[in-house]
Amino acid sequence: MSAKAQANLESPSVVHMRTAFEQATARSTVRQTAFDAFAKVGFPTPRDEHWKYTNLRRLESRQFVIGSQNVPLTNKPETPSNAYQAVFVDGFFRSELSTLPNSKELRIISIAALQESAPEQVIEALSIGLNNSGSMQYLNTALTQDGIVIEVAANTAVQQPLFLNFMWSNSANNLMAHPRISIKAGSHSKLTVIQQYLGTGAHSNFNNSVTTIQLAESAHLEHGLIQSENNQSFNLHIIQAELSAQATLKNHHFNFGGALARTDINVLLNGRETNVVLNGLQFASGNQHHDTHLRIEHCTPHTCSHQDYRGIADQRGRIVFNGKVKVHEQAAKTDAQQSSRNLLLSSTAEIDSKPELE
């Protein structure tokens, strides 16, 4: 089938994304395969069980474009003096606004810079978790223009936290960004990373981010995810984490802004005595819609997981929480705990909470 004939069979939203893919993306087999997979299924719909309570029609009806590099930014985010910072504006890394270490033990490089110096490493980063992902990760893989790769050497404890601040420029409107964040921690290493999605003004923009986390034996990562976009924007985020023996991941998720925000956190516990803690707080008011899906897979014996989420909804705000724990047959002596508590402040607000154990 010709490309023109294929486009005639696609929805307008997929055709729009295809145009962006053809205009703006560095070519590779991985990117092309990912976009083909996205085009085949399109955006998720409520017919998909995992998206039963979240409809992306508001997002699909808008025409977003990829932004430009080096646009002005008047308000640099404030970061504690004892912390590192990487700043992204309209989806692109800005070195002049960032403060990063110069260390062999802690390697931090943007996806765009890596594309020029070692494109095979970009392909490697984009391939992580791709076979088990959904259509939004396929879209991120196809369209990502920039992001960051973070690698911590074995036996390295990084004392300063690293802030990843994703911002929109003052004139940004109807822009989209698909940042990719790759975190690899060597054995017996320790690191703190805090991702912040910050939006000001009243313009509508679209963030579709993917974070992949790989923790080697006895590595420890403290990870924060703060979503505080303006109330006209859309924020979709996927976290794919894989833990080796005795590794620990602590994730703290705060969902405050955005017209529609969706976060998927998928964790594989692949070694004995691995431990994951997922804490979260969602607050939705006005017409905000916040959706969080957690999936933890206990793949080996003697693993622990803990989920603790809180939801507060006011006015016509809606919150969705789905927390799933899957215990594989060989994962004896699994310790899995889950708590979801919610508060409705208005008779027109809604919260849907669905715990699952398989």
Side-chain angles (χ1 to χ4, degrees), residues 275-300:
N275 182 48
V276 60
V277 177
L278 303 179
N279 298 319
L281 172 63
Q282 301 189 88
F283 177 76
S285 63
N287 291 311
Q288 288 180 307
H289 183 106
H290 292 166
D291 184 355
T292 296
H293 272 59
L294 311 180
R295 180 183 176 92
I296 300 174
E297 293 198 39
H298 293 258
C299 303
T300 55

PDB file of all heavy atoms in Angstrom, residues 275-300:
ATOM      1  N   ASN A 275      13.383  -3.875  46.075  1.00  0.00           N
ATOM      2  CA  ASN A 275      12.398  -3.129  46.844  1.00  0.00           C
ATOM      3  C   ASN A 275      11.961  -1.906  46.056  1.00  0.00           C
ATOM      4  O   ASN A 275      12.797  -1.146  45.559  1.00  0.00           O
ATOM      5  CB  ASN A 275      13.002  -2.704  48.189  1.00  0.00           C
ATOM      6  CG  ASN A 275      11.994  -1.959  49.044  1.00  0.00           C
ATOM      7  OD1 ASN A 275      10.858  -2.388  49.207  1.00  0.00           O
ATOM      8  ND2 ASN A 275      12.412  -0.829  49.581  1.00  0.00           N
ATOM      9  N   VAL A 276      10.637  -1.704  45.944  1.00  0.00           N
ATOM     10  CA  VAL A 276      10.125  -0.515  45.286  1.00  0.00           C
ATOM     11  C   VAL A 276       9.059   0.128  46.169  1.00  0.00           C
ATOM     12  O   VAL A 276       8.212  -0.558  46.744  1.00  0.00           O
ATOM     13  CB  VAL A 276       9.553  -0.832  43.886  1.00  0.00           C
ATOM     14  CG1 VAL A 276       8.406  -1.825  43.952  1.00  0.00           C
ATOM     15  CG2 VAL A 276       9.094   0.449  43.191  1.00  0.00           C
ATOM     16  N   VAL A 277       9.136   1.454  46.274  1.00  0.00           N
ATOM     17  CA  VAL A 277       8.153   2.239  47.024  1.00  0.00           C
ATOM     18  C   VAL A 277       7.594   3.294  46.081  1.00  0.00           C
ATOM     19  O   VAL A 277       8.345   4.095  45.519  1.00  0.00           O
ATOM     20  CB  VAL A 277       8.794   2.914  48.257  1.00  0.00           C
ATOM     21  CG1 VAL A 277       7.760   3.784  48.973  1.00  0.00           C
ATOM     22  CG2 VAL A 277       9.362   1.871  49.202  1.00  0.00           C
ATOM     23  N   LEU A 278       6.265   3.294  45.896  1.00  0.00           N
ATOM     24  CA  LEU A 278       5.607   4.275  45.039  1.00  0.00           C
ATOM     25  C   LEU A 278       4.634   5.083  45.888  1.00  0.00           C
ATOM     26  O   LEU A 278       3.632   4.553  46.387  1.00  0.00           O
ATOM     27  CB  LEU A 278       4.850   3.576  43.898  1.00  0.00           C
ATOM     28  CG  LEU A 278       5.665   2.647  42.990  1.00  0.00           C
ATOM     29  CD1 LEU A 278       4.762   2.022  41.923  1.00  0.00           C
ATOM     30  CD2 LEU A 278       6.818   3.392  42.331  1.00  0.00           C
ATOM     31  N   ASN A 279       4.941   6.367  46.067  1.00  0.00           N
ATOM     32  CA  ASN A 279       4.082   7.271  46.812  1.00  0.00           C
ATOM     33  C   ASN A 279       3.502   8.305  45.858  1.00  0.00           C
ATOM     34  O   ASN A 279       4.189   8.762  44.936  1.00  0.00           O
ATOM     35  CB  ASN A 279       4.859   7.994  47.910  1.00  0.00           C
ATOM     36  CG  ASN A 279       5.439   7.041  48.939  1.00  0.00           C
ATOM     37  OD1 ASN A 279       4.773   6.084  49.338  1.00  0.00           O
ATOM     38  ND2 ASN A 279       6.662   7.285  49.378  1.00  0.00           N
ATOM     39  N   GLY A 280       2.251   8.710  46.070  1.00  0.00           N
ATOM     40  CA  GLY A 280       1.676   9.686  45.157  1.00  0.00           C
ATOM     41  C   GLY A 280       0.583  10.526  45.784  1.00  0.00           C
ATOM     42  O   GLY A 280      -0.111  10.094  46.719  1.00  0.00           O
ATOM     43  N   LEU A 281       0.439  11.742  45.241  1.00  0.00           N
ATOM     44  CA  LEU A 281      -0.636  12.644  45.637  1.00  0.00           C
ATOM     45  C   LEU A 281      -1.176  13.312  44.385  1.00  0.00           C
ATOM     46  O   LEU A 281      -0.424  13.907  43.608  1.00  0.00           O
ATOM     47  CB  LEU A 281      -0.131  13.710  46.614  1.00  0.00           C
ATOM     48  CG  LEU A 281      -1.125  14.828  46.958  1.00  0.00           C
ATOM     49  CD1 LEU A 281      -2.362  14.258  47.668  1.00  0.00           C
ATOM     50  CD2 LEU A 281      -0.453  15.895  47.813  1.00  0.00           C
ATOM     51  N   GLN A 282      -2.506  13.191  44.188  1.00  0.00           N
ATOM     52  CA  GLN A 282      -3.157  13.824  43.049  1.00  0.00           C
ATOM     53  C   GLN A 282      -4.212  14.808  43.562  1.00  0.00           C
ATOM     54  O   GLN A 282      -4.991  14.470  44.462  1.00  0.00           O
ATOM     55  CB  GLN A 282      -3.830  12.786  42.148  1.00  0.00           C
ATOM     56  CG  GLN A 282      -2.883  11.735  41.588  1.00  0.00           C
ATOM     57  CD  GLN A 282      -3.566  10.871  40.535  1.00  0.00           C
ATOM     58  OE1 GLN A 282      -3.587  11.195  39.362  1.00  0.00           O
ATOM     59  NE2 GLN A 282      -4.138   9.757  40.973  1.00  0.00           N
ATOM     60  N   PHE A 283      -4.244  15.988  42.951  1.00  0.00           N
ATOM     61  CA  PHE A 283      -5.273  16.972  43.291  1.00  0.00           C
ATOM     62  C   PHE A 283      -5.860  17.505  41.996  1.00  0.00           C
ATOM     63  O   PHE A 283      -5.149  18.059  41.155  1.00  0.00           O
ATOM     64  CB  PHE A 283      -4.696  18.118  44.118  1.00  0.00           C
ATOM     65  CG  PHE A 283      -5.710  19.182  44.435  1.00  0.00           C
ATOM     66  CD1 PHE A 283      -6.663  18.957  45.414  1.00  0.00           C
ATOM     67  CD2 PHE A 283      -5.734  20.381  43.736  1.00  0.00           C
ATOM     68  CE1 PHE A 283      -7.617  19.926  45.701  1.00  0.00           C
ATOM     69  CE2 PHE A 283      -6.685  21.355  44.013  1.00  0.00           C
ATOM     70  CZ  PHE A 283      -7.632  21.126  45.003  1.00  0.00           C
ATOM     71  N   ALA A 284      -7.157  17.321  41.804  1.00  0.00           N
ATOM     72  CA  ALA A 284      -7.835  17.762  40.586  1.00  0.00           C
ATOM     73  C   ALA A 284      -9.006  18.656  40.951  1.00  0.00           C
ATOM     74  O   ALA A 284      -9.836  18.298  41.796  1.00  0.00           O
ATOM     75  CB  ALA A 284      -8.330  16.553  39.782  1.00  0.00           C
ATOM     76  N   SER A 285      -9.076  19.824  40.318  1.00  0.00           N
ATOM     77  CA  SER A 285     -10.187  20.750  40.530  1.00  0.00           C
ATOM     78  C   SER A 285     -10.613  21.313  39.178  1.00  0.00           C
ATOM     79  O   SER A 285     -10.012  21.005  38.144  1.00  0.00           O
ATOM     80  CB  SER A 285      -9.770  21.875  41.481  1.00  0.00           C
ATOM     81  OG  SER A 285      -8.722  22.644  40.921  1.00  0.00           O
ATOM     82  N   GLY A 286     -11.635  22.181  39.177  1.00  0.00           N
ATOM     83  CA  GLY A 286     -12.133  22.701  37.909  1.00  0.00           C
ATOM     84  C   GLY A 286     -12.612  21.544  37.048  1.00  0.00           C
ATOM     85  O   GLY A 286     -13.426  20.726  37.472  1.00  0.00           O
ATOM     86  N   ASN A 287     -12.082  21.455  35.819  1.00  0.00           N
ATOM     87  CA  ASN A 287     -12.386  20.341  34.919  1.00  0.00           C
ATOM     88  C   ASN A 287     -11.172  19.449  34.702  1.00  0.00           C
ATOM     89  O   ASN A 287     -11.086  18.748  33.687  1.00  0.00           O
ATOM     90  CB  ASN A 287     -12.887  20.867  33.571  1.00  0.00           C
ATOM     91  CG  ASN A 287     -14.257  21.506  33.676  1.00  0.00           C
ATOM     92  OD1 ASN A 287     -15.172  20.921  34.260  1.00  0.00           O
ATOM     93  ND2 ASN A 287     -14.401  22.697  33.130  1.00  0.00           N
ATOM     94  N   GLN A 288     -10.234  19.458  35.642  1.00  0.00           N
ATOM     95  CA  GLN A 288      -9.022  18.664  35.495  1.00  0.00           C
ATOM     96  C   GLN A 288      -9.328  17.168  35.565  1.00  0.00           C
ATOM     97  O   GLN A 288     -10.225  16.726  36.293  1.00  0.00           O
ATOM     98  CB  GLN A 288      -8.013  19.024  36.584  1.00  0.00           C
ATOM     99  CG  GLN A 288      -7.366  20.392  36.417  1.00  0.00           C
ATOM    100  CD  GLN A 288      -6.379  20.652  37.549  1.00  0.00           C
ATOM    101  OE1 GLN A 288      -6.704  20.547  38.728  1.00  0.00           O
ATOM    102  NE2 GLN A 288      -5.160  20.987  37.164  1.00  0.00           N
ATOM    103  N   HIS A 289      -8.537  16.404  34.804  1.00  0.00           N
ATOM    104  CA  HIS A 289      -8.660  14.949  34.791  1.00  0.00           C
ATOM    105  C   HIS A 289      -7.261  14.376  35.017  1.00  0.00           C
ATOM    106  O   HIS A 289      -6.362  14.581  34.211  1.00  0.00           O
ATOM    107  CB  HIS A 289      -9.215  14.481  33.441  1.00  0.00           C
ATOM    108  CG  HIS A 289      -9.441  13.003  33.370  1.00  0.00           C
ATOM    109  ND1 HIS A 289     -10.697  12.438  33.419  1.00  0.00           N
ATOM    110  CD2 HIS A 289      -8.569  11.967  33.251  1.00  0.00           C
ATOM    111  CE1 HIS A 289     -10.587  11.119  33.330  1.00  0.00           C
ATOM    112  NE2 HIS A 289      -9.303  10.812  33.222  1.00  0.00           N
ATOM    113  N   HIS A 290      -7.086  13.644  36.118  1.00  0.00           N
ATOM    114  CA  HIS A 290      -5.801  13.039  36.455  1.00  0.00           C
ATOM    115  C   HIS A 290      -5.960  11.524  36.536  1.00  0.00           C
ATOM    116  O   HIS A 290      -6.847  11.021  37.233  1.00  0.00           O
ATOM    117  CB  HIS A 290      -5.275  13.573  37.789  1.00  0.00           C
ATOM    118  CG  HIS A 290      -4.888  15.014  37.756  1.00  0.00           C
ATOM    119  ND1 HIS A 290      -4.662  15.747  38.898  1.00  0.00           N
ATOM    120  CD2 HIS A 290      -4.676  15.856  36.715  1.00  0.00           C
ATOM    121  CE1 HIS A 290      -4.334  16.986  38.562  1.00  0.00           C
ATOM    122  NE2 HIS A 290      -4.339  17.071  37.245  1.00  0.00           N
ATOM    123  N   ASP A 291      -5.081  10.809  35.846  1.00  0.00           N
ATOM    124  CA  ASP A 291      -5.166   9.349  35.769  1.00  0.00           C
ATOM    125  C   ASP A 291      -3.781   8.771  36.052  1.00  0.00           C
ATOM    126  O   ASP A 291      -2.797   9.158  35.417  1.00  0.00           O
ATOM    127  CB  ASP A 291      -5.647   8.940  34.376  1.00  0.00           C
ATOM    128  CG  ASP A 291      -5.868   7.434  34.241  1.00  0.00           C
ATOM    129  OD1 ASP A 291      -5.556   6.694  35.193  1.00  0.00           O
ATOM    130  OD2 ASP A 291      -6.341   7.005  33.181  1.00  0.00           O
ATOM    131  N   THR A 292      -3.701   7.849  37.009  1.00  0.00           N
ATOM    132  CA  THR A 292      -2.432   7.188  37.331  1.00  0.00           C
ATOM    133  C   THR A 292      -2.631   5.674  37.306  1.00  0.00           C
ATOM    134  O   THR A 292      -3.551   5.150  37.944  1.00  0.00           O
ATOM    135  CB  THR A 292      -1.915   7.615  38.715  1.00  0.00           C
ATOM    136  OG1 THR A 292      -1.616   9.010  38.702  1.00  0.00           O
ATOM    137  CG2 THR A 292      -0.653   6.841  39.076  1.00  0.00           C
ATOM    138  N   HIS A 293      -1.766   4.998  36.550  1.00  0.00           N
ATOM    139  CA  HIS A 293      -1.780   3.538  36.478  1.00  0.00           C
ATOM    140  C   HIS A 293      -0.426   3.009  36.953  1.00  0.00           C
ATOM    141  O   HIS A 293       0.618   3.376  36.406  1.00  0.00           O
ATOM    142  CB  HIS A 293      -2.033   3.067  35.038  1.00  0.00           C
ATOM    143  CG  HIS A 293      -3.489   2.923  34.711  1.00  0.00           C
ATOM    144  ND1 HIS A 293      -4.388   3.955  34.797  1.00  0.00           N
ATOM    145  CD2 HIS A 293      -4.208   1.836  34.309  1.00  0.00           C
ATOM    146  CE1 HIS A 293      -5.590   3.525  34.453  1.00  0.00           C
ATOM    147  NE2 HIS A 293      -5.513   2.241  34.153  1.00  0.00           N
ATOM    148  N   LEU A 294      -0.454   2.148  37.951  1.00  0.00           N
ATOM    149  CA  LEU A 294       0.758   1.517  38.466  1.00  0.00           C
ATOM    150  C   LEU A 294       0.697   0.021  38.163  1.00  0.00           C
ATOM    151  O   LEU A 294      -0.346  -0.613  38.298  1.00  0.00           O
ATOM    152  CB  LEU A 294       0.881   1.716  39.983  1.00  0.00           C
ATOM    153  CG  LEU A 294       0.687   3.131  40.541  1.00  0.00           C
ATOM    154  CD1 LEU A 294       0.836   3.112  42.056  1.00  0.00           C
ATOM    155  CD2 LEU A 294       1.670   4.105  39.917  1.00  0.00           C
ATOM    156  N   ARG A 295       1.834  -0.530  37.774  1.00  0.00           N
ATOM    157  CA  ARG A 295       1.939  -1.983  37.559  1.00  0.00           C
ATOM    158  C   ARG A 295       3.292  -2.446  38.081  1.00  0.00           C
ATOM    159  O   ARG A 295       4.338  -1.999  37.596  1.00  0.00           O
ATOM    160  CB  ARG A 295       1.784  -2.342  36.080  1.00  0.00           C
ATOM    161  CG  ARG A 295       1.882  -3.849  35.799  1.00  0.00           C
ATOM    162  CD  ARG A 295       1.787  -4.147  34.308  1.00  0.00           C
ATOM    163  NE  ARG A 295       1.972  -5.570  34.031  1.00  0.00           N
ATOM    164  CZ  ARG A 295       0.989  -6.458  33.946  1.00  0.00           C
ATOM    165  NH1 ARG A 295      -0.260  -6.057  34.121  1.00  0.00           N
ATOM    166  NH2 ARG A 295       1.239  -7.724  33.687  1.00  0.00           N
ATOM    167  N   ILE A 296       3.258  -3.313  39.073  1.00  0.00           N
ATOM    168  CA  ILE A 296       4.477  -3.871  39.658  1.00  0.00           C
ATOM    169  C   ILE A 296       4.470  -5.374  39.435  1.00  0.00           C
ATOM    170  O   ILE A 296       3.498  -6.057  39.781  1.00  0.00           O
ATOM    171  CB  ILE A 296       4.580  -3.564  41.164  1.00  0.00           C
ATOM    172  CG1 ILE A 296       4.603  -2.042  41.399  1.00  0.00           C
ATOM    173  CG2 ILE A 296       5.817  -4.212  41.768  1.00  0.00           C
ATOM    174  CD1 ILE A 296       4.561  -1.653  42.863  1.00  0.00           C
ATOM    175  N   GLU A 297       5.550  -5.891  38.863  1.00  0.00           N
ATOM    176  CA  GLU A 297       5.665  -7.335  38.630  1.00  0.00           C
ATOM    177  C   GLU A 297       6.761  -7.913  39.515  1.00  0.00           C
ATOM    178  O   GLU A 297       7.936  -7.538  39.409  1.00  0.00           O
ATOM    179  CB  GLU A 297       5.968  -7.623  37.155  1.00  0.00           C
ATOM    180  CG  GLU A 297       4.825  -7.262  36.221  1.00  0.00           C
ATOM    181  CD  GLU A 297       4.942  -7.933  34.864  1.00  0.00           C
ATOM    182  OE1 GLU A 297       5.347  -9.113  34.822  1.00  0.00           O
ATOM    183  OE2 GLU A 297       4.649  -7.266  33.863  1.00  0.00           O
ATOM    184  N   HIS A 298       6.374  -8.822  40.396  1.00  0.00           N
ATOM    185  CA  HIS A 298       7.324  -9.561  41.235  1.00  0.00           C
ATOM    186  C   HIS A 298       7.738 -10.802  40.460  1.00  0.00           C
ATOM    187  O   HIS A 298       6.963 -11.764  40.348  1.00  0.00           O
ATOM    188  CB  HIS A 298       6.672  -9.935  42.563  1.00  0.00           C
ATOM    189  CG  HIS A 298       6.358  -8.760  43.441  1.00  0.00           C
ATOM    190  ND1 HIS A 298       7.149  -8.410  44.521  1.00  0.00           N
ATOM    191  CD2 HIS A 298       5.351  -7.852  43.392  1.00  0.00           C
ATOM    192  CE1 HIS A 298       6.628  -7.345  45.113  1.00  0.00           C
ATOM    193  NE2 HIS A 298       5.533  -6.988  44.448  1.00  0.00           N
ATOM    194  N   CYS A 299       8.956 -10.784  39.935  1.00  0.00           N
ATOM    195  CA  CYS A 299       9.402 -11.860  39.042  1.00  0.00           C
ATOM    196  C   CYS A 299      10.276 -12.900  39.737  1.00  0.00           C
ATOM    197  O   CYS A 299      10.482 -13.986  39.190  1.00  0.00           O
ATOM    198  CB  CYS A 299      10.173 -11.263  37.857  1.00  0.00           C
ATOM    199  SG  CYS A 299       9.233 -10.044  36.905  1.00  0.00           S
ATOM    200  N   THR A 300      10.808 -12.573  40.918  1.00  0.00           N
ATOM    201  CA  THR A 300      11.702 -13.482  41.636  1.00  0.00           C
ATOM    202  C   THR A 300      11.310 -13.527  43.115  1.00  0.00           C
ATOM    203  O   THR A 300      10.587 -12.645  43.593  1.00  0.00           O
ATOM    204  CB  THR A 300      13.170 -13.022  41.513  1.00  0.00           C
ATOM    205  OG1 THR A 300      13.263 -11.660  41.962  1.00  0.00           O
ATOM    206  CG2 THR A 300      13.663 -13.090  40.081  1.00  0.00           C
TER     207      THR A 300
END
